Amino acid sequence: MRFKKSQLLKKLEKSSITFALLSIIFLVFLLLTSLIEVSLAELNHNLNSSFISLLGWSILEDIRFFLTWMLPAYLIYLLLSLLSPKFARGLYIVVFILFYLIQFSLLFYFNTTLVMLGSDLFGYSIQEITQTLGASDSLGWEKILIFSIVLVFLSFLLVRFSPKPKMKWQLSVLLPVLSLLFLLFGSSESLNASELSSDFERNLVKNKSEHFYNSAYSYFNPDIYEVDIYAESYLGDLSAEYASIESFEYVDEGSYPFLRKELNRDVLSPFLETKDEAPNIVIIVVEGLGRAFTNEGAYLGNFTPFLDSLSTKSLYWPNFLSNGGRTFAVLPSLLGSLPFAKNGFMEMGDNMPDQLSLLNLLGQNGYETSFYHGGKSGFDNMGVYLKKNNADRIIDEDDFPKAYKKIPSKLNGFSWGYGDKELYRNYLEKKQSASGNSPQLDVLLTISTHDPFFTDDPERYDRLFEERLTKLGFDEAKKQEYRNYKKQYATILYADEALKNFMNSWKELDDYDNTIFLITGDHRIPEIPMASKIDRYHVPLILYSPLLKRTAEFRSVSSHFDVAPSLISFLKTNYNLQIPTVNSFLGQGLDTTRSFHNFHKIPLMQTKTDLRDFVMGEYHLNGEDLYRLTPDMAEESVTDEAKKEELLYAFDQFKRKNAEIINGKRMIPDSITQK
């Protein structure tokens, strides 16, 4: 019996030493990966913090990640080694190689898109992922494959021929002991890198694999939300600071979670003239149009001179928010003021519950409704959503005449479709040839300001970019920083010029004088580093029309959710629009207060699988982090547990209702649909 125990101990001691040596190599690779990532960021992006500071934070995050998993990995390794030491060692090496293949892919993705990949990967079909990768100028499988081969080769060399120094087994258990102490007394949360100056830098230093796996775990193990009457009571007694935040009068929450009485708040009539005939409405959604580089006061500089001039002749909301961090959310939010369901409302496909929207309500009141897009309307199920809402006409990439030219593509032939100028030209040609006297609701969604950021005349727009840098008064050092994102800024200038030409051409049409134009962004371009969490959603809203009696700038906060309710209220007041007395809109309507404030409760979905942002009053909740919004829509981190709890309760109530839609509850009764 004593002999067997001695053999077992020797086996465990040898396994502990092997595990320790492999783990040290694993840690060296982890730190090397951080060095590569921070070096790439230093070469390709504008960093305010020093290289040493960023590398230090990144290494600390890696060590925390390493210590979090060492103890469970050690215990699993020992159990397997009792069965077969060779198998345990071989499995460790396989996991080692797979981990770093994924780690590098995630690193490369972040360096290209400036967005950490998480569970949003699971929100897209294989076809959509392939299209996204194929259309990208810099994100491709071939680069990942080349590095992967090199990584596998280096891993093999290090593991196969690494020196095997003698180590006492007592020393070999130091790693799992440190891991145990860390798990007991350390922090399992991310380190506080708040001293870093931007959201981009804070994301840069995070371990990309940890973010991906945590996000994937949350996706496949979601929180279960049930009706909580105590939370509802809590929300009914919010602090006085939130007294101005309106609540809806819900009709039948048990059967229809979002069904409520119409607010009937018309805020646009004081600004718009009315005519005998209902006005045309043209909604232009510009891909990636963020407030960070749009119009006067943009913290990155004004790269949209035409939109800036147009905003001074319009109703303009500079502190406006999109409700999604990707394009998937813009149509349901902007046209239907709809919740997100599980992966975005449109991802429900044919199972989308019946709903009210600008499209079907205006269509039932004599409007002809159309959607124009330079790409595929099948992407994100946009076409299914539009058909579900009875759009009369859907024009996408497949409907452009052969004479039109697509966005220049990569050598592999992938392209997102037709650029902004071609989209507007096709729209105007079809409009001029159309017959009929019905008012029009037209929605246009552009694609040019999207990776790969190609234009039809790159030399010209590169020159305009350089001229813009000079006009903005940048010195040579700052110009060099901006040149890291020359393609992005060049396409922004292109998109702005395309809008200018489009609006000038519209003036030649007979019904120009009775048309309302709304221009906004679907989200902010992520490929230019972001300063804050709210930056991703911060977009402008411009309402321009020859019908305007006066212009105004409203610094209050509103979102895409509020557009449809306000347009419908305006048309009902002035043109006898026939609509139900109840609806399921999430928005309360646009706020036309001149000063900065917010009376909305605004959920924001960053990706198809990441519902973690909520704005209420002047506070923004991002996961467990609380920020206060400033009048220029920057934000500062705050520590206020009472405020955070209030936002968490309010956000949870939205999530509970949203979960009911996921589980099959309806948006509106059949009686409304039939009527």
Side-chain angles (χ1 to χ4, degrees):
M1 186 69 177
R2 185 177 300 175
F3 173 78
K4 290 182 179 180
K5 183 178 181 181
S6 177
Q7 288 292 93
L8 178 63
L9 285 175
K10 286 181 179 180
K11 196 172 185 179
L12 292 175
E13 289 170 7
K14 187 176 180 180
S15 296
S16 295
I17 293 171
T18 303
F19 177 84
L21 292 173
L22 290 172
S23 298
I24 290 171
I25 296 173
F26 184 95
L27 179 60
V28 170
F29 264 78
L30 197 61
L31 302 182
L32 180 62
T33 304
S34 280
L35 178 62
I36 293 171
E37 182 172 21
V38 177
S39 297
L40 285 172
E42 180 80 13
L43 289 172
N44 299 323
H45 303 294
N46 302 331
L47 302 175
N48 296 320
S49 303
S50 69
F51 177 86
I52 297 299
S53 173
L54 292 170
L55 182 60
W57 280 112
S58 185
I59 288 174
L60 286 174
E61 284 281 356
D62 286 342
I63 292 174
R64 183 189 60 77
F65 171 73
F66 179 77
L67 290 176
T68 300
W69 290 102
M70 270 304 94
L71 180 60
Y74 174 70
L75 295 176
I76 293 171
Y77 187 91
L78 284 188
L79 288 174
L80 292 175
S81 67
L82 292 176
L83 300 174
S84 170
K86 190 174 181 179
F87 173 76
R89 185 175 185 274
L91 182 61
Y92 193 120
I93 294 171
V94 170
V95 172
F96 179 105
I97 293 172
L98 288 175
F99 175 86
Y100 282 105
L101 290 179
I102 296 172
Q103 171 79 346
F104 176 73
S105 299
L106 296 171
L107 178 158
F108 187 84
Y109 180 88
F110 178 79
N111 184 66
T112 301
T113 66
L114 308 190
V115 175
M116 289 196 296
L117 184 63
S119 59
D120 43 316
L121 177 68
F122 310 116
Y124 292 91
S125 66
I126 296 297
Q127 181 181 0
E128 289 173 333
I129 293 171
T130 302
Q131 182 178 353
T132 302
L133 289 173
S136 172
D137 180 43
S138 51
L139 185 62
W141 289 113
E142 65 279 1
K143 295 181 180 178
I144 297 176
L145 181 61
I146 291 171
F147 188 87
S148 298
I149 293 172
V150 174
L151 180 61
V152 170
F153 180 67
L154 290 176
S155 301
F156 173 78
L157 290 179
L158 280 171
V159 174
R160 178 67 179 82
F161 300 107
S162 59
K164 297 178 174 57
K166 293 182 179 179
M167 178 187 289
K168 292 185 177 181
W169 75 268
Q170 292 90 342
L171 187 62
S172 70
V173 298
L174 181 61
L175 285 178
V177 169
L178 288 174
S179 178
L180 175 62
L181 293 174
F182 178 79
L183 292 173
L184 290 175
F185 305 108
S187 172
S188 60
E189 301 296 329
S190 293
L191 297 166
N192 182 15
S194 57
E195 70 175 38
L196 299 179
S197 61
S198 68
D199 190 56
F200 165 66
E201 292 183 356
R202 289 186 285 273
N203 286 335
L204 171 65
V205 302
K206 291 179 180 178
N207 185 286
K208 304 305 179 290
S209 289
E210 180 179 42
H211 173 81
F212 178 77
Y213 295 127
N214 286 343
S215 182
Y217 177 82
S218 297
Y219 176 75
F220 290 109
N221 296 274
D223 293 329
I224 304 300
Y225 292 97
E226 299 176 351
V227 176
D228 185 344
I229 59 173
Y230 299 105
E232 292 282 3
S233 300
Y234 182 90
L235 280 174
D237 190 30
L238 290 174
S239 65
E241 181 177 349
Y242 298 125
S244 62
I245 298 180
E246 295 188 28
S247 296
F248 297 128
E249 185 178 347
Y250 291 103
V251 176
D252 183 3
E253 289 183 89
S255 302
Y256 310 97
F258 292 102
L259 190 66
R260 45 87 165 183
K261 290 186 178 180
E262 179 193 7
L263 288 179
N264 197 24
R265 185 199 296 121
D266 174 22
V267 298
L268 297 179
S269 286
F271 301 95
L272 291 165
E273 294 179 359
T274 57
K275 295 190 175 184
D276 294 335
E277 298 179 351
N280 301 304
I281 298 173
V282 179
I283 300 176
I284 303 170
V285 182
V286 180
E287 170 70 40
L289 185 69
R291 178 71 175 91
F293 43 75
T294 302
N295 295 356
E296 189 68 27
Y299 76 84
L300 290 174
N302 178 9
F303 284 85
T304 56
F306 169 71
L307 274 180
D308 186 36
S309 65
L310 188 69
S311 68
T312 63
K313 306 167 188 173
S314 307
L315 302 182
Y316 174 43
W317 286 263
N319 293 333
F320 199 71
L321 295 174
S322 68
N323 294 99
R326 292 288 191 189
T327 310
F328 74 91
V330 69
L331 294 185
S333 300
L334 191 63
L335 303 179
S337 197
L338 288 162
F340 304 114
K342 183 179 180 182
N343 301 126
F345 192 84
M346 295 190 299
E347 201 64 24
M348 299 176 78
D350 293 330
N351 294 321
M352 291 181 212
D354 292 333
Q355 76 258 200
L356 298 175
S357 72
L358 276 174
L359 290 167
N360 56 35
L361 286 173
L362 269 61
Q364 287 296 314
N365 281 271
Y367 272 77
E368 290 185 5
T369 59
S370 302
F371 174 75
Y372 291 80
H373 181 45
K376 296 281 190 184
S377 61
F379 199 88
D380 285 333
N381 277 335
M382 289 187 290
V384 178
Y385 170 78
L386 294 164
K387 291 174 184 176
K388 188 85 173 176
N389 282 273
N390 303 322
D392 295 316
R393 179 187 294 182
I394 301 173
I395 304 296
D396 69 357
E397 179 182 345
D398 296 332
D399 301 303
F400 279 66
K402 292 183 179 179
Y404 284 69
K405 293 183 179 180
K406 287 187 177 182
I407 294 173
S409 61
K410 294 174 61 180
L411 294 177
N412 60 15
F414 276 97
S415 171
W416 277 114
Y418 294 90
D420 296 7
K421 289 184 179 180
E422 296 290 77
L423 172 67
Y424 297 143
R425 182 161 72 96
N426 190 26
Y427 167 75
L428 289 170
E429 286 185 1
K430 285 183 169 55
K431 186 165 184 64
Q432 288 170 335
S433 62
S435 59
N437 298 318
S438 300
Q440 309 286 316
L441 168 63
D442 298 327
V443 182
L444 290 79
L445 175 60
T446 74
I447 58 173
S448 289
T449 34
H450 189 290
D451 186 29
F453 303 104
F454 288 166
T455 66
D456 54 5
D457 190 353
E459 292 183 0
R460 178 170 181 270
Y461 290 102
D462 286 351
R463 186 177 68 254
L464 291 176
F465 165 69
E466 291 293 335
E467 292 173 359
R468 193 66 189 168
L469 295 182
T470 300
K471 190 165 186 178
L472 290 170
F474 294 165
D475 58 26
E476 189 57 34
K478 194 165 187 177
K479 285 182 180 180
Q480 195 57 46
E481 291 180 358
Y482 275 68
R483 287 174 187 137
N484 288 330
Y485 313 100
K486 179 173 66 175
K487 290 194 305 180
Q488 288 89 331
Y489 286 115
T491 55
I492 294 166
L493 290 167
Y494 163 86
D496 187 64
E497 184 179 76
L499 272 169
K500 178 181 179 181
N501 297 339
F502 173 69
M503 296 299 292
N504 288 336
S505 298
W506 241 102
K507 293 179 181 178
E508 306 300 320
L509 301 180
D510 294 337
D511 49 1
Y512 170 75
D513 290 337
N514 195 29
T515 300
I516 297 172
F517 300 89
L518 289 98
I519 303 172
T520 188
D522 57 346
H523 57 83
R524 193 263 221 206
I525 290 175
E527 286 84 358
I528 301 174
M530 299 189 194
S532 64
K533 296 293 185 184
I534 203 67
D535 205 355
R536 183 163 182 161
Y537 309 99
H538 189 192
V539 297
L541 176 68
I542 296 171
L543 189 156
Y544 171 78
S545 176
L547 297 170
L548 280 172
K549 294 183 286 188
R550 55 194 171 103
T551 64
E553 179 177 309
F554 311 113
R555 303 200 67 84
S556 50
V557 178
S558 295
S559 77
H560 283 159
F561 282 157
D562 301 303
V563 171
S566 283
L567 287 175
I568 289 169
S569 292
F570 168 74
L571 294 172
K572 179 183 178 182
T573 300
N574 297 285
Y575 297 97
N576 196 31
L577 193 74
Q578 300 299 304
I579 65 169
T581 56
V582 295
N583 60 55
S584 54
F585 295 151
L586 270 67
Q588 301 164 359
L590 297 167
D591 187 351
T592 52
T593 305
R594 306 288 181 118
S595 59
F596 173 75
H597 87 125
N598 173 38
F599 69 79
H600 299 292
K601 302 171 188 173
I602 311 174
L604 308 166
M605 194 170 193
Q606 182 169 306
T607 67
K608 283 188 177 183
T609 58
D610 202 1
L611 179 57
R612 59 183 289 108
D613 291 283
F614 185 73
V615 173
M616 186 168 76
E618 296 180 1
Y619 290 90
H620 170 209
L621 181 71
N622 173 258
E624 292 292 322
D625 299 321
L626 185 65
Y627 301 90
R628 187 199 300 271
L629 300 176
T630 65
D632 58 354
M633 289 298 279
E635 55 186 5
E636 53 193 24
S637 178
V638 295
T639 302
D640 188 327
E641 289 302 317
K643 288 285 188 300
K644 186 167 83 170
E645 285 301 314
E646 288 180 330
L647 269 76
L648 282 169
Y649 270 116
F651 195 17
D652 279 349
Q653 289 312 296
F654 168 75
K655 289 180 179 179
R656 288 184 178 93
K657 290 174 180 288
N658 187 63
E660 292 182 68
I661 299 301
I662 297 171
N663 294 328
K665 286 197 175 179
R666 308 283 302 280
M667 297 295 298
I668 56 176
D670 288 336
S671 57
I672 293 180
T673 306
Q674 293 165 0
K675 184 176 180 180

